[in-house]
Amino acid sequence: MKGKHIILGISGGIAAYKSATLLRLFIKAGAEVQVVMTPAGKEFITPVTLSALSGKPVVSEFFTANSGEWHSHVDLGLWADAMVIAPATASTIAKMANGVADNMLVTTYLSAKAPVFVAPAMDLDMFAHPTTSRNLDLLRSYGNTIIEPASGELASHLIGKGRMEEPENIFKVLEAFFAKQEDLKGKKMLVTAGPTYEKIDPVRFIGNYSTGKMGYAIAEEAASRGAEVVLVSGPVDIMPRHPAIHLVKVESAREMLAACEEHFPTADYAVMCAAVADYAPADCAATKIKREGNEPPVIHLVKNPDIAKTLGMKKRDGQKMVGFALETDHEFDNAMSKLRSKNLDMIVLNSLRDKGAGFGTDTNKITIFTADGGETSFGLKSKREVAADIIDTLITL
């Protein structure tokens, strides 16, 4: 943790007194910490205390009233290696989940490029309320890590779940996170994501429902662990956030293959997550095909190249390749067939029969098979959590 930049966000809950201990643990470990507080947070612990512990002025307002000095949430978001909000009250969680940027803490969160860790703290009924559950699910779907609160006596003197996790345990979560950043240091990874579009004419195409969320989550996870990532992406509406990700945009399967063949030779790992169209029109009409006065066109299809299989045939000793199998039936047999025929080291299976898995969702449910006979099934998780499971397995091969 030495030399790491951490933003410690403190919102207005009684558990704010624990934040001083957490701050001290970070400082003792060699981290540089910037405290950002909500106005309500200052009612529970003073900025003077936190500034003395951190060695930095506490940021709470958008500008300093006396001098007009502007506090840039954008600069803070770029500076940080991690952001921890502890305590995170129900109000702050709701604002984060829904983008209500009315204080310095939430605007800093919205500008953060680094991973965000949220430690909820509130009364048991507030924590159990469906609104809070929904907001926490939203934050998980955005890739944030929720550090679950503990059960015990609360400020109301009721007993239940809602106590902010102890500072020592939050510190251990961050310690483990920074340790993981060394997992792929110095390694290069090729990731494919999204659909491919195969043109019928200038305005129509053959494609699929892939949004690229899973592939982009894998690229972000790999980059956060120190890898240099080349992300070859079909047409999607999202962009990578991590600066170590080099984005290569393509449209068709043949364009994706060409980009992969360019970058695959130098890659230590390749994760083939894209939903590549199996077929393409043999010919693309030069002008828009008109409906009026014409019979429905007959479209002759040709097979697209199998990108994973093509790269698998060129795989050198030491390279590791991961494939994906999105299936609707005979899931196990189809996944194992792809694992063997494409010379993969690992394949990730998910089924459209599982609720919350597949295209367009923020969650996924997978089973990982490895070439040495390993099989591990996971429950429904956010795609960023699934990406972590995939990378965890990959680096053990």
Side-chain angles (χ1 to χ4, degrees):
M1 199 175 289
K2 187 174 182 179
K4 297 297 185 182
H5 296 167
I6 300 174
I7 296 171
L8 176 57
I10 301 174
S11 56
I14 189 64
Y17 77 91
K18 295 182 179 180
S19 302
T21 301
L22 180 59
L23 171 56
R24 191 165 183 271
L25 289 170
F26 288 148
I27 295 295
K28 285 186 69 176
E32 190 175 343
V33 184
Q34 176 62 64
V35 176
V36 180
M37 302 180 74
T38 64
K42 293 189 290 186
E43 301 295 326
F44 292 88
I45 187 169
T46 69
V48 173
T49 299
L50 299 166
S51 179
L53 291 172
S54 69
K56 290 178 175 290
V58 170
V59 175
S60 181
E61 309 296 340
F62 292 106
F63 59 89
T64 302
N66 294 335
S67 65
E69 178 188 0
W70 177 254
H71 301 140
S72 174
H73 54 89
V74 175
D75 289 346
L76 277 174
L78 293 171
W79 172 82
D81 296 304
M83 183 174 186
V84 185
I85 296 109
T89 61
S91 175
T92 292
I93 288 168
K95 289 178 180 181
M96 291 168 62
N98 295 283
V100 181
D102 66 347
N103 63 48
M104 190 66 185
L105 176 54
V106 179
T107 54
T108 301
Y109 159 71
L110 293 173
S111 299
K113 300 290 186 184
V116 178
F117 299 81
V118 182
M122 64 197 75
D123 209 62
L124 73 164
D125 293 321
M126 296 175 72
F127 184 74
H129 197 280
T131 302
T132 304
S133 297
R134 183 203 64 187
N135 289 333
L136 288 172
D137 286 341
L138 277 173
L139 291 180
R140 287 189 188 94
S141 74
Y142 302 155
N144 302 297
T145 298
I146 309 302
I147 302 174
E148 289 289 326
S151 296
E153 185 177 359
L154 304 168
S156 63
H157 302 299
L158 297 174
I159 306 296
K161 187 173 183 179
R163 286 174 59 92
M164 187 180 94
E165 183 56 276
E166 294 305 313
E168 292 79 7
N169 293 332
I170 296 174
F171 176 82
K172 288 177 183 177
V173 171
L174 270 292
E175 191 175 43
F177 160 71
F178 284 120
K180 275 189 172 184
Q181 287 191 318
E182 303 296 316
D183 286 347
L184 295 171
K185 189 174 182 179
K187 299 295 185 181
K188 295 184 178 181
M189 182 177 292
L190 171 66
V191 180
T192 65
T196 63
Y197 289 174
E198 314 300 332
K199 286 186 176 180
I200 298 170
D201 63 18
V203 299
R204 302 179 182 92
F205 60 85
I206 295 173
N208 56 62
Y209 296 115
S210 174
T211 59
K213 291 179 180 179
M214 191 68 255
Y216 275 64
I218 290 169
E220 295 283 354
E221 181 67 21
S224 75
R225 299 198 191 192
E228 181 183 333
V229 180
V230 174
L231 175 59
V232 180
S233 174
V236 296
D237 294 328
I238 51 179
M239 290 291 291
R241 296 171 61 89
H242 199 286
I245 298 174
H246 172 58
L247 178 64
V248 179
K249 292 184 177 182
V250 298
E251 185 173 272
S252 69
R254 294 184 182 278
E255 290 174 353
M256 183 171 284
L257 174 61
C260 288
E261 287 184 317
E262 178 183 351
H263 295 283
F264 181 67
T266 60
D268 298 290
Y269 303 97
V271 182
M272 302 287 100
C273 190
V276 182
D278 292 320
Y279 300 94
D283 298 294
C284 175
T287 58
K288 179 182 177 182
I289 300 171
K290 298 292 186 179
R291 180 175 65 174
E292 293 79 6
N294 293 317
E295 292 295 318
V298 176
I299 300 172
H300 295 281
L301 300 177
V302 294
K303 278 188 176 182
N304 268 328
D306 187 325
I307 297 175
K309 189 172 184 177
T310 301
L311 298 182
M313 292 172 62
K314 300 178 179 181
K315 187 175 67 170
R316 68 174 189 274
D317 288 344
Q319 276 186 313
K320 300 298 180 184
M321 280 190 64
V322 181
F324 276 71
L326 175 61
E327 304 294 340
T328 60
D329 59 276
H330 301 99
E331 288 92 338
F332 175 81
D333 291 339
N334 289 332
M336 295 308 294
S337 175
K338 289 181 179 180
L339 178 69
R340 291 187 292 265
S341 67
K342 300 176 192 289
N343 194 25
L344 301 173
D345 299 283
M346 175 174 136
I347 194 160
V348 180
L349 168 67
N350 57 355
S351 173
L352 286 179
R353 293 196 287 185
D354 289 327
K355 186 177 180 181
F359 293 146
T361 65
D362 292 319
T363 55
N364 209 351
K365 184 179 179 181
I366 65 167
T367 300
I368 296 177
F369 301 95
T370 56
D372 62 5
E375 177 182 342
T376 308
S377 295
F378 300 85
L380 189 70
K381 300 183 180 184
S382 73
K383 285 187 172 175
R384 186 61 187 262
E385 291 173 311
V386 171
D389 291 333
I390 291 169
I391 299 297
D392 284 343
T393 306
L394 176 58
I395 61 179
T396 65
L397 295 181

